């Protein structure tokens, strides 16, 4: 392409686009036509695109042309940078020196168990392949599963780790628990150790090479169990914040909509409404009946929608996963304590302590039942003062015909039962 323009006696030949771009920005008549300033990264999720949840190219020509004149006029800018902008505007794609950066993940959904280590895969490559390494930067960010997102969901992402070369920095609750795998050239997979319940959500791997940045997202979910929970005072005594704390006290978190939906698909049926992590109130019904949405209604999740988080009161749906034990590295173990006699609540706490553990929490018992197959037809104390027992293989004299965790409610502390301990 050849184009020339004579402005104020200066001839610009676009057969040399680099020189033309630099002169245009530096000359006085070019300073009045500055580009809008955009400092930072912008993401736009296309939920109704090709169905794969993929993102639009991050460095579109529109974004590149929103770089400020002061940045472009800076002597540190190279000739390749100016040529990149012109080429992007003409070709509607982002290339530098004919090289294309690709960031990919072979697995967009990763499941793990609490307390374990997990790897979120992310690889980058160049097309065509380079013979010499380039100086790239990688940034991992995170959107929690229980975040209340908007159309600007990217604004809620928080940094997990930033790395360039051998230098790296981790942030927040991930500090000291994350690293890059680097098992091969281009491998920027994130390794998370000592996985916590709150680590679930959407992770973004972003690779930055000069002006170009591309990203891919990976969802992390925990294998666990959803269970209903109510206050010792009775049904419908918890506002949203009370429900959050109640779940935390039982080694759990408020369940997300997706987790409750998955539990319903696995057969969870509960005719009491409970808070979810997004502030809505819902309950799962597999067998429609009177008082639970009506006999003629279809099975599914019944929703009251969002409720006032302070004034409205319901139960809670909590989510728990197998977690690392307090003593040592193996996963925590819930067990029925063999004791020669029945115990009141105080005696039960002392007996577990003498055995090197503590009274198990409700979330821990549910996780042991669901993930470890704990089966014991003997009601025992738990840390919240409730009495329950886990049944994997339903049988006579052990409650209903379906597997589950049976509950005796919250008996008086002086009553005598067995005890379930955790260590």
């Amino acid at each position: 392409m050849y184009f020339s323009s004579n402005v104020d006696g200066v001839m610009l030949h676009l057969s040399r686009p680099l020189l033309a771009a630099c002169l245009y920005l530096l000359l006085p008549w070019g300073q009045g036509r500055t580009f809008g300033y955009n400092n930072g990264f912008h993401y736009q999720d296309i939920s109704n695109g090709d169905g794969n949840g993929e993102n639009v190219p991050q460095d579109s020509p529109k974004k590149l042309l929103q770089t400020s004149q002061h940045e472009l006029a800076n002597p540190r800018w190279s000739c390749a940078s100016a040529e990149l902008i012109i080429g992007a505007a003409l070709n509607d794609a982002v290339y530098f020196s004919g090289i294309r950066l690709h960031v990919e993940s072979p697995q967009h959904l990763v499941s793990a168990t609490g307390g374990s280590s997990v790897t979120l895969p992310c690889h980058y490559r160049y097309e065509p392949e380079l013979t010499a390494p380039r100086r790239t930067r990688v940034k991992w960010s995170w959107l929690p599963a229980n975040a209340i997102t908007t159309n600007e969901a990217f604004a809620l992402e928080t940094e997990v780790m930033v790395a360039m070369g051998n230098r790296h920095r981790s942030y927040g609750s991930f500090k000291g628990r994350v690293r890059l795998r680097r098992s091969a050239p281009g491998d920027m997979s994130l390794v998370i150790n000592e996985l916590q319940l709150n680590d679930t959500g959407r992770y973004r791997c972003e690779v930055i090479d000069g002006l170009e940045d591309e990203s891919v997202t990976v969802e992390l979910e925990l294998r666990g169990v959803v269970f209903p929970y109510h206050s010792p005072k009775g049904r419908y005594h918890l506002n949203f914040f009370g429900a959050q704390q109640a779940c935390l006290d039982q080694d759990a978190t408020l369940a997300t909509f997706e987790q409750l939906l998955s539990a319903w698909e696995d057969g969870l049926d509960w005719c009491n409404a409970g808070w979810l992590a997004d502030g809505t109130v819902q309950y799962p019904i597999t067998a429609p009946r009177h008082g639970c949405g009506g006999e003629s209604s279809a099975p599914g999740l019944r929703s009251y929608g969002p409720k006032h988080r302070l004034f409205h009161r319901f139960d809670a749906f909590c989510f728990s996963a197998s977690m690392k034990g307090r003593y040592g590295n193996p996963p925590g173990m819930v067990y029925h304590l063999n004791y020669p006699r029945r115990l009141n609540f105080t005696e039960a706490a002392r007996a577990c302590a003498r055995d090197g553990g503590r009274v198990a929490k409700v979330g821990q018992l549910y996780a042991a039942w669901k993930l470890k197959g704990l089966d014991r037809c003997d009601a025992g104390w738990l840390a919240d003062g409730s009495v329950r027992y886990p049944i994997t293989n339903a049988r006579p004299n052990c409650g209903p015909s379906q597997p589950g965790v049976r509950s005796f409610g919250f008996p008086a502390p002086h009553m005598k039962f067995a005890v379930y301990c955790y260590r």
Side-chain angles (χ1 to χ4, degrees):
M1 176 182 71
Y2 179 86
F3 176 77
S4 65
S5 174
N6 193 332
V7 182
D8 293 342
V10 179
M11 180 70 72
L12 299 179
H13 295 279
L14 289 188
S15 59
R16 301 287 300 278
L18 168 62
L19 180 60
C22 293
L23 288 175
Y24 179 84
L25 291 169
L26 292 174
L27 288 176
W29 50 263
Q31 295 178 5
R33 303 178 184 181
T34 60
F35 301 121
Y37 179 69
N38 181 7
N39 183 18
F41 304 106
H42 177 79
Y43 306 106
Q44 179 183 2
D45 289 339
I46 303 178
S47 58
N48 294 320
D50 58 10
N52 294 322
E54 297 177 352
N55 296 319
V56 296
Q58 301 302 312
D59 280 333
S60 64
K62 179 180 178 181
K63 176 186 173 182
L64 288 174
L65 292 176
Q66 287 177 331
T67 307
S68 71
Q69 171 204 344
H70 302 290
E71 290 176 291
L72 292 174
N74 193 308
R76 290 178 298 176
W77 266 61
S78 66
C79 293
S81 299
E83 191 126 50
L84 168 62
I85 294 177
I86 296 175
L90 294 175
N91 300 323
D92 197 31
V94 184
Y95 294 86
F96 55 95
S97 303
I99 307 297
R100 176 67 171 166
L101 171 65
H102 295 272
V103 179
E104 302 159 332
S105 176
Q107 192 175 358
H108 291 277
L109 177 63
V110 175
S111 297
T113 302
S116 64
S117 296
V118 66
T119 300
L120 307 183
C122 175
H123 304 266
Y124 77 90
R125 61 183 176 86
Y126 294 97
E127 184 182 356
E129 186 176 349
L130 298 179
T131 57
R134 293 183 62 88
R135 188 174 181 82
T136 57
R137 183 166 70 99
V138 62
K139 179 174 77 172
W140 276 94
S141 54
W142 167 62
L143 183 67
N146 61 356
I148 301 176
T149 61
T150 66
N151 290 334
E152 300 291 331
F154 67 89
L156 298 176
E157 291 183 350
T158 58
E159 288 186 347
V160 173
M161 165 176 272
V162 175
M164 177 180 287
N166 293 324
R167 295 180 299 170
H168 59 84
R169 177 177 294 178
S170 53
Y171 301 92
S173 64
F174 295 95
K175 193 170 185 177
R177 293 196 297 125
V178 294
R179 63 180 177 84
L180 296 180
R181 184 172 61 182
R182 297 185 186 273
S183 63
D187 182 12
M188 294 296 169
S189 301
L190 183 71
V191 179
I192 307 176
N193 297 315
E194 299 179 6
L195 202 59
Q196 301 175 2
L197 284 174
N198 290 327
D199 290 342
T200 57
R202 186 187 72 193
Y203 288 77
R204 184 184 300 277
C205 173
E206 181 178 16
V207 178
I208 304 152
D209 186 333
L211 286 178
E212 186 175 15
D213 62 275
E214 295 290 335
S215 69
V216 68
T217 59
V218 181
E219 299 281 342
L220 173 62
E221 66 176 17
L222 289 184
R223 292 189 293 270
V225 57
V226 172
F227 62 93
Y229 190 82
H230 66 81
S231 166
K233 298 178 181 179
R235 303 287 182 186
Y236 294 173
H237 276 77
L238 302 172
N239 64 18
F240 176 78
F241 305 104
Q244 277 186 320
Q245 189 61 50
C247 291
L248 289 174
D249 290 344
Q250 301 312 313
D251 224 10
T253 60
L254 272 178
T256 65
F257 170 81
E258 290 76 13
Q259 289 167 345
L260 183 63
L261 178 62
S262 178
W264 169 76
E265 292 172 342
D266 287 342
L268 180 61
D269 183 286
W270 194 257
C271 192
N272 287 291
W275 290 102
L276 296 182
D278 61 359
T280 62
V281 175
Q282 308 193 38
Y283 62 99
I285 295 297
T286 58
R289 54 197 181 274
H290 178 71
C292 301
E295 298 178 358
S296 60
S297 59
L301 297 186
R302 313 285 194 247
S303 177
Y304 291 175
K307 291 296 181 181
H308 196 287
R309 298 187 176 200
L310 184 60
F311 300 125
H312 288 146
R313 297 178 182 273
F314 297 92
D315 293 342
F317 285 102
C318 304
F319 175 83
S320 182
S322 179
M323 301 298 291
K324 180 178 289 188
R326 184 174 58 172
Y327 310 104
N329 291 324
M333 179 179 67
V334 175
Y335 60 98
H336 177 274
L337 181 65
N338 290 321
Y339 207 77
R341 60 183 177 86
R342 299 295 180 179
L343 306 166
N344 63 33
F345 182 75
T346 302
E347 293 169 339
R350 291 172 180 168
C352 285
R354 285 195 295 268
D355 200 53
R358 61 191 183 205
V359 181
K361 298 181 177 182
V362 177
Q364 294 165 349
L365 182 68
Y366 268 95
W369 163 72
K370 182 70 173 181
L371 302 175
K372 306 291 185 180
L374 183 62
D375 184 288
R376 186 79 184 198
C377 189
D378 192 10
W381 288 107
L382 295 180
D384 65 341
S386 65
V387 172
R388 307 173 194 249
Y389 63 100
I391 295 296
T392 302
N393 301 307
R395 51 197 182 272
N397 302 318
C398 293
S401 59
Q402 296 82 23
V405 174
R406 322 297 193 210
S407 176
F408 278 38
F410 295 86
H414 67 270
M415 296 184 67
K416 304 277 182 110
F417 296 94
V419 62
Y420 290 92
C421 303
Y422 175 86
R423 66 180 175 195

